[in-house]
Amino acid sequence: MGDYPAGLILIVTGSALRAEQMDRPLAYYLQTQIEQLSAGQDDRMAIVLSDRFYLTHPDLHALPLISVGGPGVNRLAQKLLKKLRAVLAADNQFFIQMDPDGEDLRASIWALDNCQTRIAVVRFAERYLPQFTRACWQRSS
């Protein structure tokens, strides 16, 4: 694995134009939320990057991550679709997939449209992000 801070969490969006336009701002929102949860500890941080960059850098694959955007615009979400279970699915409008036990430190947040994706991201931030970051940072210490 590369030389990365122990408390690094990746936030991965699609690299298609629509994903860059609609999902990347949601990823930055999550990055801000993670920074607030880090309580100023320098080794606890998040970085936003594209699915294309992530998938072509195998040294990143062992790091905790949050994928934002659906399988149609995010190739990582497509790969995670059958690997992570849905912990929240709202009327088949949006999905939050992750391991609620914190063993698999990957999450995927997506919906059928951007409005629902925004709702899913906020719901994830409120309901799951504190426990997700805690599990990531406990594993790194």
Side-chain angles (χ1 to χ4, degrees):
M1 191 166 88
D3 187 25
Y4 302 108
L8 179 61
I9 299 171
L10 305 176
I11 305 171
V12 181
T13 65
S15 50
L17 185 57
R18 182 89 173 141
E20 289 286 352
Q21 178 186 22
M22 306 303 272
D23 296 335
R24 189 164 282 261
L26 299 174
Y28 289 132
Y29 166 78
L30 285 175
Q31 182 182 34
T32 300
Q33 297 301 305
I34 291 169
E35 288 172 1
Q36 290 175 359
L37 290 168
S38 75
Q41 295 186 24
D42 291 340
D43 63 337
R44 295 178 176 186
M45 66 186 76
I47 187 166
V48 176
L49 50 109
S50 74
D51 59 348
R52 184 171 293 149
F53 187 87
Y54 174 82
L55 291 170
T56 59
H57 289 81
D59 58 321
L60 297 173
H61 296 186
L63 296 172
L65 68 85
I66 302 167
S67 174
V68 177
V73 295
N74 183 333
R75 289 185 299 159
L76 177 59
Q78 192 174 61
K79 291 183 178 296
L80 295 175
L81 186 60
K82 295 193 178 183
K83 294 181 181 181
L84 297 174
R85 77 179 238 221
V87 293
L88 185 60
D91 296 325
N92 289 326
Q93 293 295 309
F94 71 77
F95 303 87
I96 297 173
Q97 296 177 270
M98 63 184 287
D99 174 7
D101 299 324
E103 295 298 318
D104 186 339
L105 297 176
R106 299 177 298 174
S108 185
I109 309 164
W110 60 280
L112 301 179
D113 61 39
N114 185 257
C115 181
Q116 291 298 315
T117 302
R118 283 187 303 216
I119 293 169
V121 165
V122 170
R123 185 79 48 91
F124 174 81
E126 293 171 351
R127 189 169 181 180
Y128 298 105
L129 189 59
Q131 75 184 42
F132 182 82
T133 56
R134 200 167 29 256
C136 294
W137 295 332
Q138 284 174 349
R139 183 169 293 172
S140 71
S141 52

